[in-house]
Amino acid sequence: MPENHKPNSTTKSKAETAVTDSDNIENDVDSVDDKNAADIDIEIDDIDDDELNDSEADESLKEDIGKKINQLRLAKGYSQRKLAKLSGLTNTSISSIERNKVSPAVNTLKAILTVLGSDLTTFFSDEWKEPKARVIVTPKDLLELNEPNSRVSLKQVYNCSRTRNLGFLIETYQPNSSTEEKIAHEGEEIGTVIEGKIIIRIEDSTYLLNQGDSYVIDTIQPHTFINPTDSVTRIVSAHTPTTY
């Protein structure tokens, strides 16, 4: 199965370049210019601070939304593709929201939360508690990302940490099974066949891997994993980004 002035110019006063009758006129003009410049600087500073605070608040809210959706999805054991399908969105949309690339519209967020068994009130409440990261992930803690009746099992090793940078899957392919046709998602993936054989089809190229063979692929390229044998195939794989 991988992308941060004040203007600091010194303007010579017109009073200094003009022919004047007294030094008092020059002093008055300079005084007025200095006062106006100071007033302008204060106004610019105020505007910049306000805009900066608003921007920081917006970024914080966006990050909370993406983080919470990701945690709710994983708690349900849903892949991004499954959440996208159930909420009527695209896999790319879910990925962008979870990675804080875009902020969802209210109706979009409602649709996502309905699928995840939540609502806007709960989602934005102060009672939201972030799950504590685990060190040990037992077999019962693994998250199955495929449908229960699927012949391909993709179990994600998930410890509830939102700062993780690497995703890890334990994959099982029943005899003569395959993943969805031409999967594509941002990032890269590295895996090793620990039992059986697997065919990886990347666009127009086909690769056969035996037990012990490893692969490294750019997952933005459409790809399919196929077990062509009458035996079970098992793979362990790591991928970035952590979303799937």
Side-chain angles (χ1 to χ4, degrees):
M1 278 147 308
E3 320 182 82
N4 298 358
H5 326 290
K6 285 184 187 175
N8 203 3
S9 60
T10 303
T11 305
K12 194 172 184 181
S13 171
K14 290 183 180 179
E16 294 176 328
T17 60
V19 178
T20 61
D21 293 333
S22 72
D23 291 339
N24 291 334
I25 295 177
E26 292 181 358
N27 293 335
D28 290 344
V29 172
D30 287 341
S31 177
V32 171
D33 286 345
D34 289 343
K35 182 178 184 302
N36 289 340
D39 289 343
I40 292 172
D41 281 346
I42 291 173
E43 291 175 1
I44 291 176
D45 284 343
D46 290 343
I47 292 173
D48 288 348
D49 288 342
D50 289 343
E51 291 179 349
L52 180 60
N53 290 336
D54 289 344
S55 176
E56 290 176 345
D58 290 344
E59 286 301 314
S60 177
L61 178 59
K62 186 192 294 185
E63 290 178 4
D64 284 344
I65 290 175
K67 175 187 70 177
K68 289 181 178 180
I69 290 176
N70 176 260
Q71 291 177 346
L72 285 172
R73 176 177 66 79
L74 291 175
K76 277 287 218 180
Y78 288 176
S79 66
Q80 288 185 342
R81 287 191 293 277
K82 181 173 182 179
L83 176 57
K85 181 178 180 180
L86 294 176
S87 59
L89 301 171
T90 65
N91 183 43
T92 301
S93 296
I94 297 297
S95 177
S96 296
I97 291 171
E98 287 193 358
R99 299 183 66 200
N100 303 311
K101 299 295 184 181
V102 299
S103 294
V106 174
N107 288 340
T108 299
L109 183 56
K110 280 183 178 180
I112 293 173
L113 293 179
T114 297
V115 172
L116 297 177
S118 186
D119 55 61
L120 291 175
T121 301
T122 302
F123 190 75
F124 289 109
S125 71
D126 294 332
E127 297 179 0
W128 175 274
K129 293 183 179 180
E130 184 175 334
K132 184 178 180 180
R134 294 189 293 258
V135 174
I136 305 300
V137 180
T138 66
K140 68 180 180 59
D141 296 322
L142 297 174
L143 298 179
E144 175 59 63
L145 299 182
N146 268 350
E147 299 291 342
N149 59 349
S150 175
R151 303 188 69 242
V152 175
S153 171
L154 302 177
K155 293 185 180 295
Q156 186 171 59
V157 179
Y158 175 58
N159 73 335
C160 300
S161 171
R162 71 180 182 88
T163 60
R164 68 198 187 285
N165 297 310
L166 185 68
F168 190 82
L169 294 177
I170 300 173
E171 310 175 29
T172 303
Y173 295 78
Q174 296 301 321
N176 302 298
S177 63
S178 68
T179 59
E180 299 174 27
E181 183 71 14
K182 297 181 179 180
I183 299 172
H185 51 92
E186 183 180 0
E188 62 181 348
E189 180 177 331
I190 298 176
T192 299
V193 181
I194 58 176
E195 181 183 341
K197 300 176 183 286
I198 199 75
I199 289 177
I200 303 179
R201 184 174 296 153
I202 304 175
E203 296 187 319
D204 296 328
S205 300
T206 300
Y207 307 88
L208 174 63
L209 287 79
N210 297 300
Q211 181 176 327
D213 290 338
S214 300
Y215 62 89
V216 181
I217 62 174
D218 178 358
T219 53
I220 198 65
Q221 298 177 295
H223 55 281
T224 305
F225 283 67
I226 305 168
N227 177 6
T229 73
D230 293 329
S231 302
V232 172
T233 294
R234 303 183 195 281
I235 297 174
V236 291
S237 65
H239 59 276
T240 60
T242 57
T243 53
Y244 176 82

